[in-house]
Amino acid sequence: MLGIVSIGLVIVASVAIGVWGVRAARSTPDFLVASRSIVPGWNALAIAGEYVSAASVLGLAGLLVKNGVGAMWYAVGFTAGYVLVAALVAGPMRRSGAYTVPDFAEYRLGSPRLRRMCGLVVLVIMLLYLLPQFKAAGVVLELVSGIPYWIGVVGAGLVVSSTIAVGGMRSATYVQAFHYLVKLAFIAGPAVFLIVLAGPERRDAALDPIVDADWTRPLLDLDGSGHALLATVSVLVATTLGAMGLPHVVMRFHTVAGARAARRVAVGVIVLLSLFYLFPVVYGLLGRIVTPDPEETDVVPVLVPGEIVPGTLGAVLTALVAAGAFAAFLSTSSGLLLALAGGLSHDLFGGSLSRLRLGVAVGTALAVALALPAEGVDINVLVGWAFAVAASTFCPLLTLGIWWRGLTSTGATAGLLVGAGSSTGAALASVVLDLPPGPFAILLAQPALWTVPLAFATMAIASRPGSVPDWADEAVLRLHVPGRHSTGDTGAIPRARRGKGLDTARPAD
């Protein structure tokens, strides 16, 4: 009962903050990027709020119990990705003036067909990322209240979609910033209490490497085949490079006034993520002692408090953790649905504000329909696939598009096809094929180690030097020179691309 009450309070507070944060969303910039008026501090909190997903709050602790301390490499990759975002992407992307990754693709390469292809890739990534969020909502509600899994999934979809459809990015920003604080308080607070209440015997057992030497191996052995280094490196490639290509992350850097602010936001996110990831390991360490073989590893953080502290105090701590996990679902789903709506309407159909709102509803329906049969799949597995696809598609597109004038629409198209096809095909094959543990199985389940270089190479090779347009130098220059595009001079950029992704209304720095 306490769990339902705590989750209900989080939902009510989220709706109230969302309504308070609504400003008349009358245009695409209002809805997608809050008219670029969000201050860096709020934006950093909001990005951390939507980035600390169910995979971080629930899935990471479950993987620690299941695979050992090597699972913390996921947290390292999730955080390290923002170092690359700050160094390579944040500033130039903000100067481009594009609202979305497909927007940027058309601005940089002048191809409406490439824009639509990027819109389809956005759909794939966002749906893969939304599935574990809705799954987390379903399993948490089922655990704390006993309601069927499908009701939790459908109800969570209604809550998130209604909040986003009303206010767009501005409402989402304030709600997600609130959710980060809720997650930090409701995950970190109980973790500190549990460390104290567990007692010296349990604390010593949780940290004793003699109990299970394999569990304390500092690498991620996904299938027990002994190829831990290969698995660890592949996970790091996916999570680190995937962060650069996540559409909802890229969109966030356009909600601030300029490129300098975008870089400050990225640095702030690194600090906030580093702080949060100190605490899931607590639930993993204690969980391996008190819940070593849970039927559902994705609910380990919710099970641990009741196992360590039976009674009223344990119920209170469980309710707080459940509320924090639900806040993770709400905040991440909000950002994902905004990006999905942009992919469906703004990027694929050039939609109006009403179509963007319709895109939220359609995207929610798709995610809910796909999440219903995904109850038995580990949260982090699904998130890992989303990161692998992002790393194999938009990471090469953004990196080469920003830093190499020689990229062409033909090369980008070929690279996207190869990257998306190989990464999604490998992930599906790992599920369909009954492969024995070993390197081949690892490279299918975590394909980024080979699909990312393949996508980079394809884009570079397919971009023939003779097909580079004469306005490529101008387009790249605008991404790197502060204030260059604020003059309103569109130079040699084709008329079809003027005003489409390039913001000429205000300075970038």
Side-chain angles (χ1 to χ4, degrees):
M1 183 62 184
L2 285 175
I4 286 294
V5 171
S6 63
I7 290 173
L9 289 175
V10 169
I11 292 174
V12 170
S14 301
V15 172
I17 293 172
V19 171
W20 173 79
V22 169
R23 303 293 186 271
R26 298 172 181 170
S27 66
T28 296
D30 289 336
F31 193 87
L32 288 179
V33 294
S35 296
R36 310 190 192 279
S37 60
I38 305 298
V39 297
W42 277 111
N43 213 10
L45 281 171
I47 291 177
E50 72 176 357
Y51 197 62
V52 175
S53 67
S56 298
V57 175
L58 298 177
L60 190 55
L63 280 181
L64 277 165
V65 172
K66 185 177 180 181
N67 297 116
V69 296
M72 284 307 294
W73 283 109
Y74 276 99
V76 173
F78 291 150
T79 307
Y82 268 92
V83 177
L84 294 179
V85 169
L88 301 177
V89 174
M93 275 299 297
R94 176 58 190 87
R95 291 190 190 100
S96 75
Y99 301 143
T100 62
V101 176
D103 258 344
F104 170 82
E106 185 173 8
Y107 155 68
R108 172 64 179 83
L109 298 167
S111 172
R113 182 180 298 175
L114 180 62
R115 176 195 182 93
R116 290 191 292 271
M117 179 180 292
C118 289
L120 292 174
V121 176
V122 168
L123 299 187
V124 173
I125 297 172
M126 293 298 92
L127 286 173
L128 283 174
Y129 211 153
L130 273 170
L131 295 190
Q133 312 312 317
F134 283 101
K135 183 210 167 175
V139 297
V140 169
L141 287 172
E142 184 177 29
L143 182 64
V144 301
S145 68
I147 66 174
Y149 169 79
W150 73 268
I151 293 179
V153 172
V154 174
L158 291 174
V159 170
V160 176
S161 60
S162 60
T163 303
I164 294 303
V166 171
M169 181 62 81
R170 192 182 302 275
S171 289
T173 295
Y174 296 128
V175 172
Q176 289 166 338
F178 164 71
H179 285 160
Y180 174 81
L181 298 176
V182 168
K183 283 180 281 192
L184 186 62
F186 288 5
I187 300 299
V192 173
F193 273 100
L194 292 172
I195 291 172
V196 175
L197 297 173
E201 184 176 342
R202 280 173 169 164
R203 287 198 298 268
D204 291 343
L207 297 172
D208 188 357
I210 300 177
V211 174
D212 187 353
D214 290 336
W215 192 88
T216 57
R217 183 188 296 113
L219 293 174
L220 181 59
D221 194 355
L222 290 172
D223 58 3
S225 64
H227 296 86
L229 180 60
L230 177 65
T232 302
V233 172
S234 194
V235 165
L236 280 174
V237 171
T239 52
T240 302
L241 298 183
M244 294 176 59
L246 290 176
H248 66 298
V249 169
V250 172
M251 184 184 295
R252 272 284 172 191
F253 293 109
H254 300 293
T255 61
V256 293
R260 189 178 296 110
R263 288 191 297 270
R264 289 205 307 269
V265 168
V267 173
V269 172
I270 294 170
V271 175
L272 293 173
L273 293 180
S274 300
L275 175 63
F276 178 84
Y277 282 125
L278 294 173
F279 299 101
V281 67
V282 174
Y283 294 94
L285 288 170
L286 294 175
R288 88 184 249 262
I289 302 301
V290 300
T291 59
D293 298 305
E295 293 183 4
E296 175 63 74
T297 57
D298 288 331
V299 293
V300 165
V302 185
L303 296 175
V304 167
E307 295 291 333
I308 291 180
V309 195
T312 302
L313 180 57
V316 171
L317 294 176
T318 298
L320 292 177
V321 174
F326 203 81
F329 154 75
L330 289 175
S331 57
T332 302
S333 299
S334 299
L336 294 173
L337 282 174
L338 275 172
L340 184 57
L344 280 170
S345 53
H346 178 63
D347 295 320
L348 288 178
F349 304 111
S352 61
L353 185 58
S354 61
R355 288 189 179 180
L356 282 167
R357 288 184 168 129
L358 178 62
V360 171
V362 173
T364 303
L366 286 172
V368 168
L370 292 172
L372 291 176
E375 185 177 3
V377 183
D378 283 347
I379 286 176
N380 261 70
V381 170
L382 292 169
V383 171
W385 291 350
F387 271 77
V389 176
S392 305
T393 53
F394 289 156
C395 172
L397 175 66
L398 293 176
T399 303
L400 295 178
I402 290 170
W403 297 99
W404 183 45
R405 67 169 296 280
L407 182 66
T408 66
S409 61
T410 301
T413 300
L416 286 175
L417 287 173
V418 170
S422 59
S423 56
T424 55
L428 290 174
S430 69
V431 175
V432 175
L433 301 178
D434 186 16
L435 297 173
F440 188 64
I442 292 173
L443 290 175
L444 284 182
Q446 295 291 340
L449 187 60
W450 60 274
T451 57
V452 173
L454 181 62
F456 267 101
T458 302
M459 287 190 185
I461 294 171
S463 295
R464 301 185 306 277
S467 61
V468 177
D470 55 5
W471 39 261
D473 288 328
E474 174 71 9
V476 172
L477 182 63
R478 291 168 185 267
L479 300 176
H480 297 281
V481 179
R484 172 71 175 174
H485 72 270
S486 61
T487 63
D489 174 23
T490 56
I493 297 177
R495 182 179 300 276
R497 291 163 50 243
R498 296 181 188 178
K500 194 78 171 178
L502 187 63
D503 178 9
T504 60
R506 63 190 307 166
D509 260 332

